[in-house]
């Protein structure tokens, strides 16, 4: 999610910089004041560059990175989504369609796709990185799918990734929206390699003329365990409960301060988004293929546009920044099964709107 307001009028051709360095195509997300939050033109530009390099025999691999010192990408431009939801228009649905197609394209890209997940990597930032074949984190990495905090549900293939994490670690991250560091990103399968941040300039320079596997062998390092490894026991027990209410009860009953904190974190999120998220992650585990999960996420995201919690959550976190959202319904007990089921219902449009295997081709 875009956690800052960037009022600068970005020119369409400078928000994504694409260049070939040696035999590597380099994509630089270039909105540092907005933590490189994605816009629709940026998504289309990335897809265009990838398609061109897929056909270019002079390009052996691709690297994606973020401009500035604070992160790869904080997600999608949620202020624009807020305005779209309030107006009842379809710009967000068009953006998601192309974004999710890009996520699927990255996942099956035929050349090594190296993502430097340095700094903040959230929401849509996870979508353009964690589906890649070579994913690098640093000691500065903070990786998260924080959507429940704005009345939304993890998307960009996030429910697919979280459903595949060991045990129920992914369910914990989906409901709490908590950010993880390098060790836990590796544990959860969101990244592949740890490289100290001060080695990134050398790594990037060497990628111009050498394969990613060879370069990483020189720069990757070991990293100690993160907190999730220690918490795995109570996480797997608590999140195996049937409902969000039961999960919260189990967390409170653990007697572990970290479990209690997780419970309180969950209770601050949108009750509707929490219940839909739990259902979405569990359905994603059964769906298996990323494309099928992205289709589901597209339906959920489009239905979320008509949910009052999405507008309210973004208002509280980004527009007014009072951090006091007024969720509707206000409690978990008030969210009925039919309220959850409607998020997974087919869309009204007869035209297939979700991502497809031909994206980027």
């Amino acid at each position: 999610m875009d956690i800052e307001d960037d009022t600068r009028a970005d020119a369409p051709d400078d928000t994504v910089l694409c260049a070939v360095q040696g035999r590597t195509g380099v994509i630089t997300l270039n909105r540092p004041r907005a933590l490189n939050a994605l816009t629709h033109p940026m998504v289309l530009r990335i897809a265009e560059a990838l398609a061109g390099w897929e056909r270019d025999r002079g390009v052996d691999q691709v690297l994606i990175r973020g401009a500035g010192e604070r992160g790869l990408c904080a997600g999608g431009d949620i202020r624009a989504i807020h305005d779209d939801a309030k107006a009842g228009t379809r710009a967000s649905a068009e953006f998601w369609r192309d974004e999710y197609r890009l996520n699927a394209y990255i996942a099956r890209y035929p050349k090594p796709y190296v993502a430097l997940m340095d700094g903040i990597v959230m929401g849509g930032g996870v979508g353009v990185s964690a589906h890649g074949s070579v994913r690098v984190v640093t000691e500065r990495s903070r990786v998260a799918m924080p959507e429940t905090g704005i009345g939304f549900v993890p998307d960009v293939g996030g429910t697919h990734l979280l459903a595949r994490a060991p045990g129920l670690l992914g369910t914990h991250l989906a409901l709490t929206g908590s950010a993880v560091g390098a060790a836990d990103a590796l544990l959860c399968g969101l990244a592949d390699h740890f490289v100290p941040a001060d080695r990134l300039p050398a790594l990037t320079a060497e990628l111009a003329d050498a394969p990613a596997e060879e370069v990483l062998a020189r720069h990757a390092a070991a990293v100690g365990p993160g907190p999730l490894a220690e918490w795995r026991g109570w996480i797997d027990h608590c999140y195996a409960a049937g409902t969000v209410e039961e999960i919260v009860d189990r967390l409170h009953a653990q007697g572990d301060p970290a479990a209690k904190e997780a419970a309180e974190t969950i209770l601050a999120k949108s009750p509707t988004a929490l219940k839909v998220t739990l259902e979405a992650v569990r359905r994603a585990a059964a769906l298996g293929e990323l494309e099928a999960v992205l289709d589901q996420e597209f339906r959920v995201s489009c239905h979320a546009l008509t949910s009052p919690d999405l507008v309210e959550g973004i208002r509280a976190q980004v527009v007014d920044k009072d951090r006091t959202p007024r969720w509707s319904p206000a409690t978990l007990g008030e969210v009925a099964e039919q309220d959850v089921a409607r998020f997974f219902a087919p869309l009204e449009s007869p035209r297939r709107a979700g991502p497809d295997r031909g994206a980027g081709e």
Side-chain angles (χ1 to χ4, degrees):
M1 81 183 156
D2 181 356
I3 61 174
E4 289 202 0
D5 176 22
D6 181 12
T7 56
R8 178 173 64 92
D10 292 301
D13 60 352
D14 74 352
T15 56
V16 177
L17 305 177
C18 300
V20 176
Q21 298 179 3
R23 300 191 66 82
T24 297
V26 179
I27 297 170
T28 304
L29 306 183
N30 190 40
R31 293 184 69 204
R33 290 177 57 190
L35 280 170
N36 301 317
L38 295 171
T39 63
H40 199 167
M42 291 171 71
V43 165
L44 296 176
R45 180 70 184 100
I46 295 168
E48 178 185 41
L50 290 177
W53 290 333
E54 180 179 355
R55 297 186 294 266
D56 188 342
R57 294 185 179 181
V59 173
D60 293 336
Q61 59 197 2
V62 170
L63 171 71
I64 187 166
R65 62 187 180 181
E69 298 297 324
R70 293 160 48 193
L72 171 66
C73 175
D77 190 340
I78 61 173
R79 183 180 286 268
I81 294 171
H82 169 273
D83 295 344
D84 186 40
K86 284 189 69 173
T89 49
R90 295 280 301 172
S92 295
E94 297 296 326
F95 167 59
W96 288 326
R97 180 187 295 114
D98 288 327
E99 184 182 25
Y100 300 174
R101 285 175 171 165
L102 174 62
N103 302 146
Y105 187 30
I106 290 169
R108 57 179 172 76
Y109 199 66
K111 298 180 180 182
Y113 181 98
V114 183
L116 298 187
M117 301 172 70
D118 183 36
I120 292 174
V121 185
M122 296 184 178
V126 173
V128 297
S129 60
H131 297 298
S133 55
V134 184
R135 304 162 302 173
V136 177
V137 286
T138 75
E139 72 277 8
R140 302 186 300 205
S141 295
R142 302 297 295 165
V143 184
M145 296 298 296
E147 285 76 9
T148 55
I150 58 165
F152 196 46
V153 178
D155 65 337
V156 298
T159 59
H160 173 78
L161 293 165
L162 296 174
R164 293 159 60 92
L168 294 174
L169 295 178
T171 304
H172 168 72
L173 296 182
L175 294 182
T176 62
S178 298
V180 297
D184 286 331
L186 293 166
L187 173 64
C188 291
L190 301 173
D192 308 299
H193 305 277
F194 170 74
V195 174
D198 60 5
R199 298 186 190 177
L200 292 183
L203 181 148
T204 301
E206 291 173 27
L207 282 173
D209 300 306
E213 182 178 349
E214 177 183 318
V215 175
L216 282 163
R218 293 194 290 268
H219 293 285
V223 61
L228 289 185
E230 178 185 348
W231 300 342
R232 174 75 185 274
W234 61 257
I235 285 176
D236 286 354
H237 167 69
C238 294
Y239 290 91
T243 66
V244 179
E245 293 96 323
E246 292 169 335
I247 289 171
V248 171
D249 288 344
R250 288 191 183 188
L251 289 168
H252 274 134
Q254 277 297 302
D256 187 307
K260 180 180 179 181
E261 182 179 354
E264 297 306 314
T265 298
I266 290 171
L267 289 173
K269 311 300 185 184
S270 158
T272 300
L274 288 168
K275 289 201 169 185
V276 175
T277 293
L278 181 61
E279 180 70 11
V281 172
R282 290 176 173 175
R283 289 190 182 206
L287 285 170
E289 286 193 1
L290 173 61
E291 286 85 352
V293 177
L294 286 166
D295 278 336
Q296 172 177 278
E297 290 180 350
F298 186 78
R299 293 195 302 274
V300 170
S301 296
C302 288
H303 286 302
L305 279 176
T306 64
S307 168
D309 278 5
L310 179 57
V311 171
E312 174 61 12
I314 299 174
R315 179 206 64 77
Q317 297 297 331
V318 176
V319 180
D320 297 336
K321 300 184 180 180
D322 58 31
R323 308 294 193 263
T324 55
R326 295 177 290 275
W327 305 123
S328 179
T331 66
L332 289 166
E334 295 175 89
V335 182
E337 288 186 11
Q338 57 266 33
D339 296 330
V340 175
R342 81 169 185 87
F343 282 80
F344 299 90
L347 297 172
E348 293 181 2
S349 172
R351 181 165 62 93
R352 186 177 185 276
D356 58 49
R357 297 175 188 272
E361 292 182 349

